[in-house]
Amino acid sequence: MNFVTPLFLAAFMLLLASAVLAIVTRKKFSLVCVALTALACVFLISGALQIGRSDSLWKLSGPFYLGVAPLSFRFDALSAVFSALLGLIALCAALFSHAYLKHLSGRINQKYYWCSLNLFVLGMLGVFLAANAITFLVSWEIMSLSSAALVVWNFSESKGQKAALIYLGATRLATAFLSAGFLWFHHAFDSWDFAKWHFNQADLLVPSMMVALGLFIKSGIWPFHIWLPYAHPSAPSSVSALMSGVMVKVAVYALLRFFLIDGSGSIYLAWVCIALGAISSFWGVLFAFVQSDIKKLLAYSTVENLGMIFLAAGICLYAQVAQLKEIAALAFVAVIFHSINHGLFKSLLFFCAGAIDSAVHSRKLDSLGGLINKMPATTGSFLIGSTAASALPPLNGFVGKWLIYQSLFMLAASETERAMNVLAMILIGLLSFVGGLALAVFAKMFAVVFLGRPRSPAAENASECSKLMNAIPAALAVLCLVCGCFAGPLITYFCRMHPLYSAVSLPSLPIGQIAFLFLAFAIFFYLAFLRKNGERIRYFSTWDCGYGSLLPKMQVNSQSFAHSVGTIFGHLLQYVTHFEIGGHDRRHFPERIKAETVMISLLESRIYGPALALVRLLNRHFSKLQAGSIHLYLLYVFLVLVAMIVIEVLA
Amino acid sequence: MMNEVNLLTVTAAVFAIMMSGSGQSRTNLLLYAMQTFFIALACLAQAEAKGSPELYTVVIGIIVIKVLTVPYFLSWLANKIEARSDPGAFLPIPLTMHVSILLFALSHFLALGLPLFKGIGSVASDATGAISLLLTGMLFMLTRRFALGQIIGFLTLENGIFLFAVTQTKGMPFIIEMGILLDVLVAVMIGGLFVFRIQKSFEHIDVTQLNGLKE
Amino acid sequence: MILTSANLVFIVTLTIMPFLLIGVIKKIKACFQNRVGPPVFQSLYNLVKLFNKDEILSKDCSWIFRSGPLISFSGMLLLCLSVPWLPLQPPVPGCDIFLFVYVLALIRFFSIISSIDAGSPFSSFAASREATLSFLAEPAFVLALVALGISAHSSDLALIFGQPIENNRIPLSVWFFSGLALFLSGIVELSRMPIDDPSTHLELTMVHEAMVIENSGPNLALVEWSYALKLLLFFGLIAQCFVYSLSKIIALPPLLLPLSVLVVMLALGCLTAMIESFSVKLSWGKNPDFIAYAVSMSLLSSLAAFAMNGGS
């Protein structure tokens, strides 16, 4: 008995019902909405688990006909994995928002929020399941617009306006490229069905690049990443978690579905993916280092991780072309595995950021500190999240990175083009560099937020948030650990998902065993050396050279920690420190010292800024065409009509 | 696959690469001397393989002039004009070294593709070393700010050309080899004097500021 | 973990060598300074002393502070038991290059956060420096190992190191350049001169010593012990690189192999002591230039690996 279709249908219905209910009802809707959405997510997860490896198509006809093609959905292993991820994160987000929105109450319109949230989940689900281009585009648009609505919630603030505009601009561009590409494909294959399309055909390079470009913009790959650091800090944390955990993965899913799963590969797209992926992983982590807002930092870290995922996708495409089956399988698994990993740990970190925000009412790293004693549960989850994000064993982030490393290693050692060997080697070097930087980024963030002494009165008076808000990150943290320690079966499962690689055997990673030994050692040495010393501990103040009164401000903050990196990469970051020393005898007895670091994003100031200025300039001239006179517009219509007729006649 | 000459030329190229990673004039000169010494050894091995007695004289000439005299003179000059360390131009100096390694790889591919002289004791990696020296020398000239760097870069470049000539031809006439050697000596002397004069007139030897002269 | 005689030798040498290495380095440095120097096993005596001492903790620190040394010690011990050395196979099998590198990273992560925990400006500043240095040196370290792995056609450390000489397919130049790269990045990772002076007494200039400025008693003992193990781990790998490259030139009898690795390790200790006696600490801004050489060596090593790989 197959429950897949009914389960998904129920999920769709419940999400819609929840969205409608949020708008229609007057009072007490929040709890009902949460329940409905959560139930929908549970159905979604169980449906996705039901799919397993089966492959079925579900076509709706009649009233659900979308103009040129029916609304049709396809359930297979790939969409199952991503819908399960969506179900999980959406469930967490719904439950979390229930508690989190109290912190924003009064400022946020809850009706509006719940309606958009449900539509957002619905849209993403539609994209994951779409079997034809029209269903895909419609769902894509629902997803884009509802997420934009969620980003805009504080439109009254100028920051929110800017974020919303940038985000909307990015999504419009992405949709435009996707639609253009899809139209071209429709022209080439005379069908809207994805099953009949071949994206990797050499003569269809232009439309496939258009589609890829749309996906790049949506996923926030360099140089299109600039919407991420605006949208995330502006959106509520639960929405950020969904956006960063799942929405950017929609593009990865589409890449997998269109280009990777058919196993033919495309060399041009491979190069583009490798180049952009490598640059964005470096760029993202470098910019993450110098941020001082938690959510901005996390947004840049998303750029880094997406870069790694696209890098793996590029390797997979290359290996498919070069007929290196094992490497292709490994890179394929790396793409899926790291997408899921990133979905788990990044949403965990965003939820924690929300918890901190609701407890301290600040996301600035430099006004936090010492939260480990005030919020122990959040600290634990955040610690696991940040170790996973810096790809440390035995967490899931490491497994994803290990798969990418291993595929690069095998590519470097394989008998293929020499240049590719050398490139794979350089990429390993780059990835290790990025890994080291990511470690520093997350060590910095964790230490500045949770350790030391509180840097502001708000942080000093913070208290742990509600149980629900602790439980959700904790559950995700457990999942991160499980996915890391029991990576072996998951890797095999993901590998079987590809129709061509089911027989490939992959190298194994003894991470569970290492983790177990590590834990055993740690417990043993704790009991042996540290515990019995428990009664012989004396407490004293931190070493202050004997002067006394070490102020919280004297601790390292996010900027001083990043200073040496800022100076090393000063040219890329446009990182400048201004010192101002004031007082009577300024050199020896300064009365006040002010140090301020300024960082300008090179891309924004040098490329996007001038480009926007150009568009504005053109706009000013084009606006003359739009004089507002009805006769003028009629004239345009008339001219276009005549021109079309003339062209038709001449042809 | 590896033979003696091979290892010597590659070592010379590695020394050139290491030279390009240092901004200290004295380190540069020391590594230049090492690199030239290994070229002299490579030349010696060629002399043995080809059995040409003139090459022995050339080896002695190289050691006396290029390994000893020129670095000593330039190091004296660097001390005199106090140009001990070079801040670098266009590209950070550590990155210069990594780029020159990539150029080394590139010259390896290039040498594999060249229609090379298949004479006695000549292998593709000789050409690799020679081309790499040439490219590293040019990169060195490009990324140094002080005029002294241009001289050292030029000398490395010349080493590359010399190595290419020695290993990839049947041998040049003796008189030409010696003539080139003396030319190099004279060029270094003149270059050194120029650097000295520039330092005297402008109180710096920063070549990036020479475009101020165009008015 | 099966206890064979080889494993026994492995573990016994593992217990003695770290302290011997530290002792030798200190002794030779003392010789250069015309001092008698401490006894060779002084660091072992120090350890015993520290374990019996009371502990002073800062009022501001949390459980993270004490977990740092614990994690770094257990991690280091785990790595020592899973990396081949003295050309012997390790008791814990299956450690590959990337796992090795990232367990080291895990240790670094916890030592960084535990040094910031007390809120001391000195140790936090040192933690920032440590983070910077290590990500700069990371590519050199990884690429040197990967170059060896490419030549050996495996990323498993047990198939790269610790192999009998006749099975060893890695060419001389790869061994040699990787050894150099590992040595240079080892100087950075182990915070030795010219990157960091382990014997200075100015908190502002130190890296490793300043990071543990708040640690005391058994806590400090664990830090020192894990440092000694780290020294052994790095020197063990570097010494193997050099011994294997030596074995390509002159034929070493298999029995002499462990002995020559031990000798080379002590020689590396001498070299470190000499560098520390004769060189000066680089200014902070010059450190990237130094690390660039380590990266260069590993790049050369990987180029050599490619050139030889295609030739066969």
Side-chain angles (χ1 to χ4, degrees), chain A residues 372 391 393 402 405-406 412 418 421 425 432-433 439 451-453 510 530 533 536 538 540 542-543 545 556 561 564, chain C residues 52 54-55 57-60 66 94 96 102 105 113 117-118 122 124 128 132 139 155 203 214 218 302 306 310:
Chain A
I372 188 165
W402 181 82
Y405 268 126
Q406 202 68 32
R418 274 302 172 78
N421 285 341
M425 192 80 191
S432 61
F433 190 71
L439 180 140
L451 305 179
R453 286 201 278 166
L530 292 182
N533 217 42
R536 286 196 292 161
R538 282 181 291 147
F540 204 68
T542 306
W543 170 240
C545 299
V556 74
F561 193 88
S564 44
Chain C
N52 288 318
D54 284 7
E55 211 175 322
L57 286 185
S58 162
K59 275 178 287 197
D60 299 323
R66 287 185 97 205
D96 84 346
Y102 276 87
I113 61 173
D117 193 18
F122 298 121
S124 322
S128 157
T132 312
S155 67
E203 298 96 329
E214 292 292 323
S302 41
F306 287 131

Side-chain angles (χ1 to χ4, degrees), chain A residues 425-475:
Chain A
M425 192 80 191
I426 293 173
L427 286 175
I428 291 178
L430 182 84
L431 267 192
S432 61
F433 190 71
V434 167
L437 264 170
L439 180 140
V441 168
F442 283 98
K444 166 190 123 170
M445 179 159 71
F446 180 80
V448 171
V449 173
F450 291 104
L451 305 179
R453 286 201 278 166
R455 291 180 181 77
S456 68
E460 189 134 29
N461 301 324
S463 59
E464 186 64 286
C465 40
S466 68
K467 289 233 164 58
L468 190 63
M469 282 168 89
N470 289 334
I472 287 161

Side-chain angles (χ1 to χ4, degrees), chain B:
Chain B
M1 182 182 168
M2 299 277 280
N3 65 28
E4 208 179 350
V5 184
N6 189 320
L7 202 61
L8 292 174
T9 46
V10 169
T11 313
V14 169
F15 273 120
I17 287 168
M18 285 170 69
M19 181 185 83
S20 68
S22 170
Q24 305 292 315
S25 305
R26 290 187 60 177
T27 317
N28 283 339
L29 287 168
L30 184 69
L31 287 169
Y32 167 74
M34 299 286 283
Q35 156 209 334
T36 320
F37 181 66
F38 273 90
I39 286 171
L41 288 185
C43 194
L44 193 68
Q46 284 281 327
E48 296 233 331
K50 288 177 182 161
S52 54
E54 304 98 34
L55 268 178
Y56 290 108
T57 328
V58 175
V59 169
I60 294 169
I62 292 175
I63 291 183
V64 170
I65 294 179
K66 288 210 292 192
V67 180
L68 299 174
T69 318
V70 167
Y72 181 77
F73 168 69
L74 287 180
S75 145
W76 171 82
L77 184 72
N79 260 342
K80 184 94 180 163
I81 60 178
E82 301 197 330
R84 291 199 184 86
S85 81
D86 194 309
F90 301 117
L91 202 62
I93 287 179
L95 276 188
T96 309
M97 177 160 55
H98 300 153
V99 172
S100 64
I101 290 176
L102 290 185
L103 290 176
F104 183 76
L106 200 68
S107 38
H108 176 65
F109 292 133
L110 188 65
L112 287 179
L114 278 182
L116 288 173
F117 169 69
K118 298 282 186 294
I120 318 148
S122 166
V123 282
S125 73
D126 282 336
T128 305
I131 301 169
S132 156
L133 275 174
L134 202 148
L135 294 175
T136 310
M138 290 182 84
L139 190 70
F140 194 91
M141 288 170 80
L142 201 67
T143 53
R144 299 300 137 140
R145 188 178 287 265
F146 293 162
L148 200 65
Q150 269 77 35
I151 295 181
I152 300 172
F154 165 74
L155 286 170
T156 310
L157 193 153
E158 191 271 340
N159 268 346
I161 296 172
F162 172 77
L163 191 61
F164 199 82
V166 167
T167 57
Q168 304 302 319
T169 61
K170 282 184 183 142
M172 283 190 290
F174 172 66
I175 191 77
I176 295 185
E177 302 238 3
M178 288 314 278
I180 292 174
L181 208 55
L182 288 176
D183 269 356
V184 167
L185 185 64
V186 172
V188 168
M189 292 297 169
I190 294 175
L193 281 179
F194 261 111
V195 169
F196 193 68
R197 295 305 308 171
I198 292 172
Q199 165 77 11
K200 279 268 180 245
S201 336
F202 297 104
E203 300 193 328
H204 66 77
I205 49 169
D206 188 341
V207 290
T208 55
Q209 291 181 26
L210 283 183
N211 52 7
L213 288 176
K214 74 181 172 202
E215 282 102 48

